Amino acid sequence: MPFQELIESARKSYSARFGKEARWTVAAPGRVNLIGEHTDYNGGFVFPMAIERYTVIAAGPSDTPGTASLYSEIFDQTGEFSLLEKTPPAPKVDWHSYVGGTIACALEKGLRPKPFDGVIVSDVPLGGGLSSSASLEVAVATLVEAASDRKIDPVEKALLCQKAEHEYAMMPCGIMDQFISAMGEEGHAMLLDCRSFERESVPLDDPNVAVLVINSNVKHTLSGSEYPERRNDCARAAELLGVELLRDASLAALDAAREAIEAEPNGGRIFRRARHFLTEEERTARFADALRRGDYAAAGREMYAGHRSLKEDYEVTCPETDLLVDLAARLGLENGVYGARMTGGGFGGSTVTLVETGKAETASAAIAEKYETETGIKPSRFVTRPAAGARLIEE
Ligand code: ADP
Ligand code: MG
């Protein structure tokens, strides 16, 4: 849905519900990671961009002391949240956890909002790997700022949202999603150092280039040990290389230690996990350089190589995301496709494809059609350009 329409629909819904005009409208985008996958917990780099899909909240002051009341249109439910004290996490995680957690963590940060009520609308697909959760948290935090008539440092804001996700939604996520949703810049992707929190906005504003996101609409059931096992493998590799985080190791050091690592229990696997991380760091740097030069074909090659590494060394792809990347590659440069890779945690989910804007829709339709023929699954897809981060919309 075009941004302005989403804003209008939130405001209309607020007026219909509360019989007055919204005082504040806030928006926070979802995101997609262009490259730098499974790198955050090793202290490495990620390279997300905000997408033109948002959680929007239209809100206004209310007369119920010490209370925020928010209606989620998607769930058709209202939640009530205390503004007086930091409430503890509820035992069962549901959408209230994200909103209540963000409010609680904002109170803890010293924000003192006046009572408010509001309506939450969103066109970020829920659970689609585009971080509807972070966009909801960051939207709520931005609304709490408005209702407090105070702004906090955006890094603090992102971190309080991450804390809400950890402690209230029980999801031990990195910092990427909240950082990009809070601080994304229009026409730029964010090269983010997950160890120092340093970040660089890298232009991706060439009108001839766009980003195609295709959701395989497959989510493979996991036993639950997949992610912890990979984290542990990386931690073990770091230990064997004598560094605190794999970030401090080098490919040369890994190669030199190959025999010793492979002699360990599961050593072959541990070696490959570390190789994914260390090569991904190099790919991410080269990808950013290629974007700075406007060499999209070179950027695309890094994406394909990244996918291969996630498939062979990290083993988090699946036949469906492999197929989507393969179909993109088969279209190739002559059909406007520069490169593609899976994005997000893996085992299903979405792919991200760098495309020529003028050929994006045709390429997208061609990939979707072949994917559906081969798998019987209809993928969801959209083309986007890098969007701006969270904001209070004034007019
Ligand atoms: P993702 O972040 O990849 O979309 P998550 O499982 O992390 O998936 O977060 C999805 C959850 O976030 C939803 O199940 C819901 O609890 C919450 N959420 C996201 N958007 C909304 C919304 N508009 N209204 C209420 N809850 C939402
Ligand atoms: Mg999420």
Side-chain angles (χ1 to χ4, degrees):
M1 191 188 296
F3 184 59
Q4 206 48 44
E5 263 176 50
L6 190 65
I7 296 293
E8 285 316 318
S9 102
R11 286 177 172 160
K12 267 201 199 112
S13 172
Y14 179 84
S15 308
R17 206 155 252 281
F18 298 102
K20 56 188 174 185
E21 298 280 293
R23 166 92 60 92
W24 308 293
T25 309
V26 296
R31 64 93 188 96
V32 69
N33 191 24
L34 294 174
I35 199 161
E37 212 66 75
H38 283 283
T39 50
D40 54 346
Y41 46 85
N42 293 310
F45 285 86
V46 292
F47 200 19
M49 62 173 236
I51 56 174
E52 295 160 315
R53 296 284 183 113
Y54 304 84
T55 300
V56 171
I57 311 178
S62 86
D63 302 325
T64 318
T67 306
S69 162
L70 288 170
Y71 170 75
S72 166
E73 213 168 65
I74 291 174
F75 286 91
D76 188 21
Q77 281 173 359
T78 300
E80 306 251 309
F81 309 93
S82 170
L83 298 175
L84 299 175
E85 52 176 5
K86 188 188 181 207
T87 49
K92 189 176 149 282
V93 172
D94 63 14
W95 74 269
H96 300 82
S97 313
Y98 296 87
V99 176
T102 304
I103 290 175
C105 292
L107 294 175
E108 188 181 44
K109 273 269 156 247
L111 286 167
R112 292 289 170 264
K114 293 185 215 67
F116 62 86
D117 41 31
V119 171
I120 306 168
V121 305
S122 175
D123 66 354
V124 188
L126 272 59
L130 301 174
S131 211
S132 70
S133 60
S135 76
L136 174 60
E137 291 147 12
V138 173
V140 169
T142 306
L143 174 60
V144 172
E145 284 182 311
S148 308
D149 207 11
R150 199 187 128 199
K151 277 202 163 183
I152 57 173
D153 175 66
V155 171
E156 300 263 296
K157 180 159 110 178
L159 291 174
L160 84 82
C161 291
Q162 182 203 28
K163 191 171 186 202
E165 182 128 0
H166 286 182
E167 294 180 6
Y168 288 76
M170 311 300 170
M171 179 55 74
C173 57
I175 57 166
M176 166 168 74
D177 302 356
Q178 290 80 10
F179 265 61
I180 186 69
S181 184
M183 289 172 270
E185 233 187 282
E186 191 178 348
H188 293 74
M190 179 191 280
L191 184 58
L192 172 61
D193 179 336
C194 292
R195 183 166 61 178
S196 67
F197 298 173
E198 257 175 58
R199 50 205 180 278
E200 182 194 338
S201 271
V202 179
L204 179 51
D205 54 358
D206 184 332
N208 297 315
V209 180
V211 170
L212 165 64
V213 179
I214 308 181
N215 190 333
S216 66
N217 285 331
V218 168
K219 239 188 207 165
H220 290 283
T221 327
L222 299 180
S223 72
S225 63
E226 290 81 356
Y227 294 122
E229 180 205 278
R230 284 164 179 76
R231 284 179 91 123
N232 292 338
D233 284 350
C234 289
R236 181 70 186 132
E239 205 178 331
L240 292 167
L241 292 166
V243 291
E244 198 183 321
L245 287 169
L246 268 188
R247 164 72 182 269
D248 296 312
S250 67
L251 265 177
L254 180 69
D255 273 329
R258 181 168 192 162
E259 250 177 74
I261 294 173
E262 287 183 342
E264 291 282 313
N266 299 315
R269 193 183 75 200
I270 292 171
F271 175 83
R272 283 183 293 113
R273 302 299 191 240
R275 183 168 61 189
H276 165 72
F277 171 76
L278 291 167
T279 55
E280 186 78 349
E281 288 282 276
E282 298 198 337
R283 280 185 294 272
T284 303
R286 282 195 300 260
F287 178 88
D289 264 344
L291 284 194
R292 290 187 197 100
R293 293 195 310 270
D295 187 346
Y296 305 112
R301 285 194 293 275
E302 301 300 334
M303 296 173 85
Y304 290 130
H307 185 83
R308 210 171 313 120
S309 177
L310 287 163
K311 178 179 176 179
E312 291 166 7
D313 277 354
Y314 225 68
E315 298 178 280
V316 292
T317 72
C318 63
E320 293 82 4
T321 49
D322 289 345
L323 176 62
L324 285 172
V325 169
D326 194 43
L327 291 171
R330 276 190 250 160
L331 286 177
L333 287 176
E334 64 270 36
N335 293 297
V337 174
Y338 295 113
R341 56 182 285 279
M342 64 147 259
T343 181
F347 304 106
S350 298
T351 61
V352 62
T353 304
L354 198 63
V355 283
E356 227 175 278
T357 307
K359 296 179 177 166
E361 193 40 52
T362 317
S364 170
I367 294 168
E369 195 196 311
K370 292 215 177 73
Y371 178 79
E372 194 176 346
T373 309
E374 285 198 32
T375 62
I377 305 162
K378 203 176 177 66
S380 344
R381 56 198 173 88
F382 64 93
V383 176
T384 183
R385 305 176 47 85
R391 68 212 97 136
L392 172 65
I393 294 139
E394 335 238 11
E395 21 78 283

mmCIF file of all heavy atoms in Angstrom, residues 209-242:
data_model
loop_
_atom_site.group_PDB
_atom_site.id
_atom_site.type_symbol
_atom_site.label_atom_id
_atom_site.label_comp_id
_atom_site.label_asym_id
_atom_site.label_seq_id
_atom_site.Cartn_x
_atom_site.Cartn_y
_atom_site.Cartn_z
ATOM 1 N N VAL A 209 18.191 1.232 -10.100
ATOM 2 C CA VAL A 209 18.402 0.002 -9.322
ATOM 3 C C VAL A 209 17.353 -0.126 -8.228
ATOM 4 O O VAL A 209 17.036 0.854 -7.547
ATOM 5 C CB VAL A 209 19.810 -0.009 -8.678
ATOM 6 C CG1 VAL A 209 20.025 -1.270 -7.875
ATOM 7 C CG2 VAL A 209 20.873 0.109 -9.749
ATOM 8 N N ALA A 210 16.823 -1.315 -8.091
ATOM 9 C CA ALA A 210 15.811 -1.558 -7.063
ATOM 10 C C ALA A 210 16.092 -2.903 -6.398
ATOM 11 O O ALA A 210 16.961 -3.663 -6.837
ATOM 12 C CB ALA A 210 14.416 -1.550 -7.673
ATOM 13 N N VAL A 211 15.365 -3.150 -5.351
ATOM 14 C CA VAL A 211 15.550 -4.378 -4.588
ATOM 15 C C VAL A 211 14.241 -5.154 -4.617
ATOM 16 O O VAL A 211 13.175 -4.613 -4.331
ATOM 17 C CB VAL A 211 15.960 -4.033 -3.141
ATOM 18 C CG1 VAL A 211 15.922 -5.260 -2.259
ATOM 19 C CG2 VAL A 211 17.357 -3.413 -3.137
ATOM 20 N N LEU A 212 14.366 -6.402 -5.015
ATOM 21 C CA LEU A 212 13.197 -7.274 -5.123
ATOM 22 C C LEU A 212 13.233 -8.262 -3.965
ATOM 23 O O LEU A 212 14.242 -8.937 -3.762
ATOM 24 C CB LEU A 212 13.261 -7.998 -6.474
ATOM 25 C CG LEU A 212 12.382 -9.211 -6.712
ATOM 26 C CD1 LEU A 212 10.907 -8.830 -6.668
ATOM 27 C CD2 LEU A 212 12.730 -9.826 -8.076
ATOM 28 N N VAL A 213 12.154 -8.305 -3.218
ATOM 29 C CA VAL A 213 12.075 -9.239 -2.098
ATOM 30 C C VAL A 213 11.041 -10.299 -2.457
ATOM 31 O O VAL A 213 9.905 -9.972 -2.810
ATOM 32 C CB VAL A 213 11.649 -8.515 -0.799
ATOM 33 C CG1 VAL A 213 11.546 -9.501 0.357
ATOM 34 C CG2 VAL A 213 12.631 -7.395 -0.461
ATOM 35 N N ILE A 214 11.447 -11.553 -2.421
ATOM 36 C CA ILE A 214 10.509 -12.636 -2.719
ATOM 37 C C ILE A 214 10.454 -13.576 -1.522
ATOM 38 O O ILE A 214 11.488 -14.112 -1.093
ATOM 39 C CB ILE A 214 10.942 -13.454 -3.963
ATOM 40 C CG1 ILE A 214 11.208 -12.516 -5.147
ATOM 41 C CG2 ILE A 214 9.872 -14.480 -4.329
ATOM 42 C CD1 ILE A 214 11.608 -13.250 -6.421
ATOM 43 N N ASN A 215 9.274 -13.764 -0.999
ATOM 44 C CA ASN A 215 9.115 -14.699 0.112
ATOM 45 C C ASN A 215 8.763 -16.073 -0.461
ATOM 46 O O ASN A 215 7.772 -16.215 -1.184
ATOM 47 C CB ASN A 215 8.011 -14.206 1.055
ATOM 48 C CG ASN A 215 7.979 -15.001 2.349
ATOM 49 O OD1 ASN A 215 8.386 -16.166 2.390
ATOM 50 N ND2 ASN A 215 7.505 -14.374 3.403
ATOM 51 N N SER A 216 9.569 -17.053 -0.134
ATOM 52 C CA SER A 216 9.327 -18.421 -0.623
ATOM 53 C C SER A 216 8.013 -18.970 -0.057
ATOM 54 O O SER A 216 7.478 -19.951 -0.558
ATOM 55 C CB SER A 216 10.476 -19.333 -0.191
ATOM 56 O OG SER A 216 10.489 -19.471 1.232
ATOM 57 N N ASN A 217 7.527 -18.314 0.996
ATOM 58 C CA ASN A 217 6.345 -18.784 1.733
ATOM 59 C C ASN A 217 6.496 -20.204 2.243
ATOM 60 O O ASN A 217 5.534 -20.960 2.371
ATOM 61 C CB ASN A 217 5.065 -18.595 0.906
ATOM 62 C CG ASN A 217 4.654 -17.132 0.892
ATOM 63 O OD1 ASN A 217 4.947 -16.399 1.846
ATOM 64 N ND2 ASN A 217 4.015 -16.687 -0.170
ATOM 65 N N VAL A 218 7.746 -20.532 2.532
ATOM 66 C CA VAL A 218 8.062 -21.813 3.151
ATOM 67 C C VAL A 218 8.797 -21.518 4.443
ATOM 68 O O VAL A 218 9.647 -20.631 4.491
ATOM 69 C CB VAL A 218 8.992 -22.644 2.227
ATOM 70 C CG1 VAL A 218 9.557 -23.836 2.969
ATOM 71 C CG2 VAL A 218 8.240 -23.083 0.995
ATOM 72 N N LYS A 219 8.429 -22.267 5.484
ATOM 73 C CA LYS A 219 9.152 -22.157 6.756
ATOM 74 C C LYS A 219 9.359 -23.577 7.220
ATOM 75 O O LYS A 219 8.419 -24.234 7.625
ATOM 76 C CB LYS A 219 8.263 -21.417 7.765
ATOM 77 C CG LYS A 219 8.884 -20.168 8.305
ATOM 78 C CD LYS A 219 8.044 -19.612 9.426
ATOM 79 C CE LYS A 219 8.234 -18.110 9.529
ATOM 80 N NZ LYS A 219 7.206 -17.504 10.352
ATOM 81 N N HIS A 220 10.565 -24.060 7.123
ATOM 82 C CA HIS A 220 10.799 -25.448 7.521
ATOM 83 C C HIS A 220 10.777 -25.569 9.035
ATOM 84 O O HIS A 220 11.276 -24.699 9.742
ATOM 85 C CB HIS A 220 12.112 -25.942 6.925
ATOM 86 C CG HIS A 220 12.022 -26.120 5.439
ATOM 87 N ND1 HIS A 220 11.395 -27.203 4.874
ATOM 88 C CD2 HIS A 220 12.407 -25.330 4.414
ATOM 89 C CE1 HIS A 220 11.435 -27.084 3.552
ATOM 90 N NE2 HIS A 220 12.034 -25.956 3.237
ATOM 91 N N THR A 221 10.176 -26.630 9.498
ATOM 92 C CA THR A 221 10.100 -26.843 10.940
ATOM 93 C C THR A 221 11.490 -27.126 11.470
ATOM 94 O O THR A 221 12.235 -27.932 10.909
ATOM 95 C CB THR A 221 9.194 -28.045 11.246
ATOM 96 O OG1 THR A 221 8.188 -28.084 10.261
ATOM 97 C CG2 THR A 221 8.585 -27.930 12.619
ATOM 98 N N LEU A 222 11.834 -26.453 12.522
ATOM 99 C CA LEU A 222 13.162 -26.623 13.096
ATOM 100 C C LEU A 222 13.047 -27.382 14.407
ATOM 101 O O LEU A 222 12.035 -27.321 15.094
ATOM 102 C CB LEU A 222 13.796 -25.258 13.338
ATOM 103 C CG LEU A 222 13.998 -24.389 12.086
ATOM 104 C CD1 LEU A 222 14.627 -23.064 12.456
ATOM 105 C CD2 LEU A 222 14.839 -25.105 11.049
ATOM 106 N N SER A 223 14.125 -28.089 14.746
ATOM 107 C CA SER A 223 14.103 -28.827 16.010
ATOM 108 C C SER A 223 14.369 -27.873 17.160
ATOM 109 O O SER A 223 14.120 -28.185 18.314
ATOM 110 C CB SER A 223 15.194 -29.896 15.978
ATOM 111 O OG SER A 223 16.450 -29.266 16.078
ATOM 112 N N GLY A 224 14.910 -26.694 16.838
ATOM 113 C CA GLY A 224 15.224 -25.722 17.891
ATOM 114 C C GLY A 224 16.714 -25.652 18.154
ATOM 115 O O GLY A 224 17.197 -24.699 18.748
ATOM 116 N N SER A 225 17.444 -26.664 17.702
ATOM 117 C CA SER A 225 18.884 -26.668 17.997
ATOM 118 C C SER A 225 19.695 -26.044 16.865
ATOM 119 O O SER A 225 20.891 -25.825 17.005
ATOM 120 C CB SER A 225 19.347 -28.100 18.227
ATOM 121 O OG SER A 225 19.172 -28.846 17.038
ATOM 122 N N GLU A 226 19.048 -25.737 15.730
ATOM 123 C CA GLU A 226 19.793 -25.271 14.557
ATOM 124 C C GLU A 226 20.587 -23.996 14.826
ATOM 125 O O GLU A 226 21.774 -23.912 14.506
ATOM 126 C CB GLU A 226 18.844 -25.028 13.372
ATOM 127 C CG GLU A 226 18.252 -26.291 12.769
ATOM 128 C CD GLU A 226 17.055 -26.835 13.542
ATOM 129 O OE1 GLU A 226 16.713 -26.270 14.609
ATOM 130 O OE2 GLU A 226 16.464 -27.833 13.095
ATOM 131 N N TYR A 227 19.919 -22.996 15.392
ATOM 132 C CA TYR A 227 20.624 -21.723 15.610
ATOM 133 C C TYR A 227 21.632 -21.818 16.750
ATOM 134 O O TYR A 227 22.780 -21.408 16.586
ATOM 135 C CB TYR A 227 19.623 -20.580 15.817
ATOM 136 C CG TYR A 227 18.810 -20.287 14.575
ATOM 137 C CD1 TYR A 227 17.427 -20.355 14.577
ATOM 138 C CD2 TYR A 227 19.443 -19.961 13.374
ATOM 139 C CE1 TYR A 227 16.683 -20.110 13.425
ATOM 140 C CE2 TYR A 227 18.711 -19.713 12.221
ATOM 141 C CZ TYR A 227 17.331 -19.787 12.254
ATOM 142 O OH TYR A 227 16.612 -19.549 11.113
ATOM 143 N N PRO A 228 21.237 -22.374 17.915
ATOM 144 C CA PRO A 228 22.231 -22.509 18.987
ATOM 145 C C PRO A 228 23.448 -23.319 18.549
ATOM 146 O O PRO A 228 24.581 -22.975 18.891
ATOM 147 C CB PRO A 228 21.465 -23.240 20.096
ATOM 148 C CG PRO A 228 20.032 -22.964 19.823
ATOM 149 C CD PRO A 228 19.902 -22.756 18.356
ATOM 150 N N GLU A 229 23.224 -24.363 17.753
ATOM 151 C CA GLU A 229 24.357 -25.181 17.315
ATOM 152 C C GLU A 229 25.338 -24.345 16.503
ATOM 153 O O GLU A 229 26.558 -24.440 16.677
ATOM 154 C CB GLU A 229 23.857 -26.366 16.478
ATOM 155 C CG GLU A 229 24.981 -27.276 15.986
ATOM 156 C CD GLU A 229 24.597 -28.046 14.735
ATOM 157 O OE1 GLU A 229 23.928 -29.079 14.868
ATOM 158 O OE2 GLU A 229 24.964 -27.607 13.630
ATOM 159 N N ARG A 230 24.795 -23.497 15.623
ATOM 160 C CA ARG A 230 25.679 -22.669 14.800
ATOM 161 C C ARG A 230 26.418 -21.620 15.635
ATOM 162 O O ARG A 230 27.593 -21.344 15.412
ATOM 163 C CB ARG A 230 24.895 -22.044 13.651
ATOM 164 C CG ARG A 230 24.638 -23.085 12.565
ATOM 165 C CD ARG A 230 23.564 -22.703 11.586
ATOM 166 N NE ARG A 230 23.409 -23.760 10.587
ATOM 167 C CZ ARG A 230 22.786 -24.934 10.803
ATOM 168 N NH1 ARG A 230 22.256 -25.203 11.980
ATOM 169 N NH2 ARG A 230 22.712 -25.837 9.845
ATOM 170 N N ARG A 231 25.702 -21.066 16.570
ATOM 171 C CA ARG A 231 26.367 -20.081 17.454
ATOM 172 C C ARG A 231 27.483 -20.755 18.243
ATOM 173 O O ARG A 231 28.568 -20.197 18.387
ATOM 174 C CB ARG A 231 25.357 -19.488 18.441
ATOM 175 C CG ARG A 231 24.432 -18.469 17.818
ATOM 176 C CD ARG A 231 23.452 -17.951 18.846
ATOM 177 N NE ARG A 231 23.991 -16.778 19.511
ATOM 178 C CZ ARG A 231 23.371 -15.601 19.537
ATOM 179 N NH1 ARG A 231 22.211 -15.447 18.939
ATOM 180 N NH2 ARG A 231 23.895 -14.577 20.148
ATOM 181 N N ASN A 232 27.173 -21.944 18.751
ATOM 182 C CA ASN A 232 28.189 -22.671 19.529
ATOM 183 C C ASN A 232 29.381 -23.048 18.660
ATOM 184 O O ASN A 232 30.522 -22.977 19.113
ATOM 185 C CB ASN A 232 27.592 -23.942 20.159
ATOM 186 C CG ASN A 232 26.582 -23.597 21.243
ATOM 187 O OD1 ASN A 232 26.610 -22.496 21.801
ATOM 188 N ND2 ASN A 232 25.676 -24.530 21.542
ATOM 189 N N ASP A 233 29.119 -23.474 17.427
ATOM 190 C CA ASP A 233 30.219 -23.808 16.512
ATOM 191 C C ASP A 233 31.122 -22.597 16.304
ATOM 192 O O ASP A 233 32.350 -22.726 16.292
ATOM 193 C CB ASP A 233 29.674 -24.272 15.148
ATOM 194 C CG ASP A 233 29.121 -25.698 15.200
ATOM 195 O OD1 ASP A 233 29.332 -26.392 16.219
ATOM 196 O OD2 ASP A 233 28.472 -26.116 14.214
ATOM 197 N N CYS A 234 30.494 -21.431 16.125
ATOM 198 C CA CYS A 234 31.288 -20.210 15.912
ATOM 199 C C CYS A 234 32.089 -19.873 17.165
ATOM 200 O O CYS A 234 33.262 -19.494 17.081
ATOM 201 C CB CYS A 234 30.384 -19.030 15.531
ATOM 202 S SG CYS A 234 29.697 -19.196 13.869
ATOM 203 N N ALA A 235 31.434 -20.030 18.328
ATOM 204 C CA ALA A 235 32.130 -19.733 19.583
ATOM 205 C C ALA A 235 33.314 -20.690 19.759
ATOM 206 O O ALA A 235 34.404 -20.286 20.191
ATOM 207 C CB ALA A 235 31.165 -19.845 20.758
ATOM 208 N N ARG A 236 33.090 -21.950 19.392
ATOM 209 C CA ARG A 236 34.164 -22.953 19.519
ATOM 210 C C ARG A 236 35.313 -22.621 18.566
ATOM 211 O O ARG A 236 36.485 -22.731 18.929
ATOM 212 C CB ARG A 236 33.586 -24.344 19.220
ATOM 213 C CG ARG A 236 34.559 -25.482 19.341
ATOM 214 C CD ARG A 236 34.956 -25.760 20.789
ATOM 215 N NE ARG A 236 36.002 -26.780 20.863
ATOM 216 C CZ ARG A 236 37.116 -26.679 21.591
ATOM 217 N NH1 ARG A 236 37.326 -25.602 22.333
ATOM 218 N NH2 ARG A 236 38.006 -27.638 21.604
ATOM 219 N N ALA A 237 34.966 -22.223 17.344
ATOM 220 C CA ALA A 237 36.006 -21.848 16.373
ATOM 221 C C ALA A 237 36.830 -20.681 16.918
ATOM 222 O O ALA A 237 38.065 -20.682 16.824
ATOM 223 C CB ALA A 237 35.375 -21.477 15.030
ATOM 224 N N ALA A 238 36.131 -19.707 17.513
ATOM 225 C CA ALA A 238 36.848 -18.550 18.070
ATOM 226 C C ALA A 238 37.807 -19.011 19.163
ATOM 227 O O ALA A 238 38.976 -18.599 19.211
ATOM 228 C CB ALA A 238 35.846 -17.534 18.623
ATOM 229 N N GLU A 239 37.310 -19.900 20.000
ATOM 230 C CA GLU A 239 38.128 -20.420 21.104
ATOM 231 C C GLU A 239 39.385 -21.114 20.553
ATOM 232 O O GLU A 239 40.496 -20.872 21.018
ATOM 233 C CB GLU A 239 37.266 -21.432 21.863
ATOM 234 C CG GLU A 239 37.618 -21.666 23.297
ATOM 235 C CD GLU A 239 36.633 -22.670 23.921
ATOM 236 O OE1 GLU A 239 35.462 -22.732 23.486
ATOM 237 O OE2 GLU A 239 37.051 -23.399 24.817
ATOM 238 N N LEU A 240 39.167 -21.954 19.530
ATOM 239 C CA LEU A 240 40.296 -22.690 18.959
ATOM 240 C C LEU A 240 41.291 -21.748 18.281
ATOM 241 O O LEU A 240 42.478 -22.046 18.182
ATOM 242 C CB LEU A 240 39.793 -23.740 17.963
ATOM 243 C CG LEU A 240 39.013 -24.911 18.595
ATOM 244 C CD1 LEU A 240 38.287 -25.726 17.535
ATOM 245 C CD2 LEU A 240 39.949 -25.797 19.423
ATOM 246 N N LEU A 241 40.778 -20.609 17.816
ATOM 247 C CA LEU A 241 41.663 -19.637 17.154
ATOM 248 C C LEU A 241 42.237 -18.635 18.162
ATOM 249 O O LEU A 241 42.988 -17.734 17.795
ATOM 250 C CB LEU A 241 40.904 -18.894 16.042
ATOM 251 C CG LEU A 241 40.513 -19.755 14.831
ATOM 252 C CD1 LEU A 241 39.501 -19.043 13.954
ATOM 253 C CD2 LEU A 241 41.760 -20.125 14.023
ATOM 254 N N GLY A 242 41.829 -18.785 19.414
ATOM 255 C CA GLY A 242 42.392 -17.937 20.461
ATOM 256 C C GLY A 242 41.892 -16.503 20.439
ATOM 257 O O GLY A 242 42.606 -15.585 20.839
#
